[in-house]
Amino acid sequence: MAAEKGRRKFLIQSFKALAGLPLAGSILNACVPETKKVIPGKLKGPDFKAGHLLRKALSVVPTQTETKDVVIIGGGISGLSAACWLKQNSDQDFCLLELEEETGGNSRGGKNAHTVFPWGAHYLPLPNNDLTELLAFLQENEVITGFNAAGLPIYRDECLCFDPEERLYINGHWQEGLVPNWGVPEADLKQINRFLELMAEMKQAKGTDGKFAFTIPISASSADENFRRLDKLTMAEWLIQNKLTSDYLHWYVNYCCRDDFGTDAKDTSAWAGIHYFAGRKAQAANTDPDRVLTWPEGNNWLAQRLRKPLEKHIRTGKLVYKVSLVKGNVAIDYLDIAQNTYHRILAGKCILATPQFVNERILNIQPEQGGNRNYKAFSYAPWAVANLALESPPAGRGVPLSWDNVVYGSKSLGYVLANHQQLQIYPENPVITFYLPLPDEDPAKARRMAYEKKQEDWAELILAELEKAHPFIRENVKNLDVWIWGHGMIRPSVGFIWGEEKAAAEKPVLDKIFFAHTDLSGISIFEEAFYQGIRAAQRMVEGKA
Ligand SMILES: Cc1cc2nc3c(=O)[nH]c(=O)nc-3n(C[C@H](O)[C@H](O)[C@H](O)COP(=O)(O)OP(=O)(O)OC[C@H]3O[C@@H](n4cnc5c(N)ncnc54)[C@H](O)[C@@H]3O)c2cc1C
């Protein structure tokens, strides 16, 4: 996150840090009470019944039929943006079918009596200035309030993450920024600096075709093999090849891979790993280019804005279980979960804004018609996200509570303060959102293990992570709910970003069925999901490649 700023803060602070190591906070552990407080809460997640219902429904042929020009399946960011584009640019009669009771997909949010909070995606880095549709959407929703004389966007202050933005708990102290510097030896600091310089070069690097080596959307990046071949090794291997061996640096790069991909550096394509640092090149009139946009409910704020003009078109609680071709039309069969009734829509065209692991189950197309797709190449990292309602903001030595709070050496990504953007200096009912990717070479195993755990197991695991920085946090927690994302993020493993399988999966079927999901980009980020939705809708209506 915010690699450029990381570098600047890192340079300023590394000399401060060398001034002296603080005392470790471990003596505080001696004061922890002996009987453990049990933390109440619930286990949540996307509709667990869906898999079972899918199997049950597969053989049912619905008797109720209606017709539409277009059906969009999936109400995540990609489906919603496809629908918005369609509404603004065509007169097609369409509807969007979403399995859950709420739209938003991985950008879902929740609330308690005091505040809203994210359950998944929680920030949008300032988008690159050539993402014109995304900038227009942000302007329509007053996130961008205008453009200066040089054409740079002016962002609304309330949407820009307030200071203090990020801190890292390292060597017993909260330092500013996430690039390790507090108490970090000189030799490691040099390596970290060299790495950040290399990433700054990669940001500006262009291929022989004149395109940026790393950009967003990923598909607009250079085809130059000098860069694309980085997809054939892991990020960890790339570091070693470049004689970057510092443990502190490896921790930081690993943290970044987990943050954007849910994978460790040893399982992440080096092309994707470098893209994390080099793909973003935003410029703004009124803020650092590396600042992020965020809201108390995270990116659900954006999902709600996408949904707003679409109310008439959206149907939630509808599980699509079969998509097939019937007499020149696309037949979309779905189960109305609340009514337990089966329906068919005969549509001229259809957009599947669902991940490929879902398409594998619902798409019923003969191989010669384009149904022969290699889904095995698509693998997904599971995640656990917890929202903890606290009595009071967590305390600590060093930089004060920030929006993003990370613990060096932790398996987790730390937590964000949901109340951060609410203009309260000392929130009375704070909620922190804790992020735990579950990386494993075998994601199916990690998924199984995640589904087996109960709320109390997660609570203990999460508290153990938090106690590394906040020894007394257990007494401070009023409630801890956990959400399991079994297929949270597409894993950009070696060879996937520029592999044939991904390219083949986005090809439309007979100019009738189109595909839009962030997994078709190879990485899970808002900008790519938004782009995938618009690209699919444009292709469908205008025949654009
Ligand atoms: C824990 C977590 C944190 C994240 N944090 C960030 C972040 O901070 N910033 C960021 O940019 N990105 C983040 N992401 C990535 C996020 O996934 C993308 O930004 C984006 O939300 C993906 O949108 P999508 O539409 O491509 O996919 P999805 O969100 O997967 O949407 C697919 C939709 O299809 C629906 N669906 C599935 N099957 C069916 C069916 N059979 N019938 C009908 N509907 C169906 C689903 O319910 C879902 O609503 C995060 C992801 C996770 C898991």
Side-chain angles (χ1 to χ4, degrees), residues 46 54 73-80 97-100 102-107 119-125 259-260 280 299 318-321 353-355 358 362 381 383-385 435 485 487-489 516-519 524-529 532:
L54 253 179
I73 306 168
I77 300 302
S78 57
L80 291 171
L97 303 175
E98 164 57 44
L99 156 69
E100 301 286 334
E102 283 171 42
T103 48
N106 291 347
S107 299
W119 271 125
H122 55 294
Y123 70 97
L124 170 65
D259 181 35
D260 247 21
R280 294 199 165 96
N299 289 6
K318 312 288 184 272
L319 169 75
V320 173
Y321 61 90
T354 36
V358 170
I362 66 176
W383 279 72
V385 179
Y435 286 89
W485 295 103
H487 295 80
M489 287 181 179
H517 190 268
T518 189
D519 64 1
S524 293
I525 55 172
F526 182 93
E527 300 101 300
E528 292 285 350
Q532 288 290 343

Side-chain angles (χ1 to χ4, degrees), residues 55-329:
R55 278 188 292 277
K56 192 178 128 205
L58 265 176
S59 56
V60 181
V61 180
T63 46
Q64 303 184 39
T65 305
E66 66 178 307
T67 56
K68 287 271 169 206
D69 293 335
V70 175
V71 171
I72 298 169
I73 306 168
I77 300 302
S78 57
L80 291 171
S81 56
C84 281
W85 190 91
L86 215 53
K87 187 172 161 67
Q88 282 173 3
N89 297 283
S90 81
D91 53 6
Q92 307 265 313
D93 176 25
F94 73 93
C95 71
L96 183 153
L97 303 175
E98 164 57 44
L99 156 69
E100 301 286 334
E101 278 308 319
E102 283 171 42
T103 48
N106 291 347
S107 299
R108 283 278 292 270
K111 62 178 178 187
N112 66 12
H114 309 288
T115 184
V116 288
F117 43 73
W119 271 125
H122 55 294
Y123 70 97
L124 170 65
L126 294 191
N128 290 354
N129 296 46
D130 56 358
L131 294 172
T132 42
E133 281 106 351
L134 180 49
L135 294 195
F137 163 69
L138 294 177
Q139 191 173 15
E140 276 158 33
N141 289 286
E142 297 175 8
V143 176
I144 291 176
T145 55
F147 291 82
N148 72 2
L152 297 181
I154 302 164
Y155 285 92
R156 179 176 291 283
D157 281 338
E158 293 93 309
C159 306
L160 290 166
C161 185
F162 300 152
D163 277 337
E165 192 172 322
E166 296 165 338
R167 63 175 184 165
L168 176 68
Y169 187 76
I170 180 167
N171 294 322
H173 180 90
W174 285 103
Q175 64 151 67
E176 195 185 353
L178 300 184
V179 186
N181 62 59
W182 186 266
V184 175
E186 184 66 39
D188 295 81
L189 293 175
K190 276 196 181 139
Q191 281 203 21
I192 294 173
N193 197 23
R194 188 156 69 81
F195 170 78
L196 295 174
E197 280 170 3
L198 281 172
M199 292 303 105
E201 280 169 27
M202 290 293 202
K203 199 184 263 255
Q204 299 311 327
K206 288 192 172 170
T208 46
D209 50 10
K211 293 180 174 179
F212 278 117
F214 303 92
T215 194
I216 298 172
I218 278 184
S219 59
S221 301
S222 172
D224 189 335
E225 261 308 302
N226 280 324
F227 296 104
R228 286 205 177 177
R229 68 173 172 227
L230 292 165
D231 193 32
K232 298 194 176 118
L233 71 160
T234 69
M235 191 61 192
E237 286 165 348
W238 183 87
L239 288 173
I240 299 298
Q241 278 187 6
N242 284 276
K243 301 193 172 40
L244 293 163
T245 52
S246 156
D247 284 348
Y248 284 100
L249 173 62
H250 278 243
W251 173 82
Y252 176 60
V253 174
N254 209 31
Y255 160 83
C256 294
C257 289
R258 286 166 164 236
D259 181 35
D260 247 21
F261 316 130
T263 50
D264 285 324
K266 70 175 175 51
D267 299 318
T268 303
S269 143
W271 195 96
I274 294 169
H275 184 272
Y276 177 95
F277 299 94
R280 294 199 165 96
K281 307 160 212 300
Q283 286 183 289
N286 60 330
T287 180
D288 289 342
D290 44 320
R291 198 94 169 265
V292 302
L293 299 163
T294 189
W295 300 266
E297 65 272 60
N299 289 6
N300 192 244
W301 190 93
L302 294 166
Q304 296 290 349
R305 298 310 177 281
L306 280 169
R307 181 190 166 124
K308 215 166 166 199
L310 299 169
E311 287 303 336
K312 272 195 342 232
H313 302 271
I314 289 180
R315 303 181 192 177
T316 54
K318 312 288 184 272
L319 169 75
V320 173
Y321 61 90
K322 190 168 168 189
V323 177
S324 54
L325 291 168
V326 175
K327 295 185 186 155
N329 282 310

Side-chain angles (χ1 to χ4, degrees), residues 388-458:
L388 290 82
L390 305 181
E391 302 280 357
S392 60
R397 289 152 45 93
V399 169
L401 182 62
S402 304
W403 170 66
D404 196 10
N405 307 269
V406 178
V407 177
Y408 178 81
S410 167
K411 292 189 203 111
S412 80
L413 297 179
Y415 60 89
V416 294
L417 175 68
N419 317 64
H420 190 74
Q421 297 295 101
Q422 288 172 341
L423 295 172
Q424 291 171 305
I425 292 172
Y426 191 83
E428 279 177 12
N429 292 287
V431 169
I432 60 172
T433 310
F434 178 88
Y435 286 89
L436 180 67
L438 302 167
D440 195 296
E441 275 166 32
D442 179 358
K445 190 178 100 201
R447 216 167 358 258
R448 254 192 328 274
M449 284 168 66
Y451 285 140
E452 278 165 12
K453 283 194 173 57
K454 301 191 182 79
Q455 184 272 351
E456 46 272 37
D457 303 327
W458 286 112

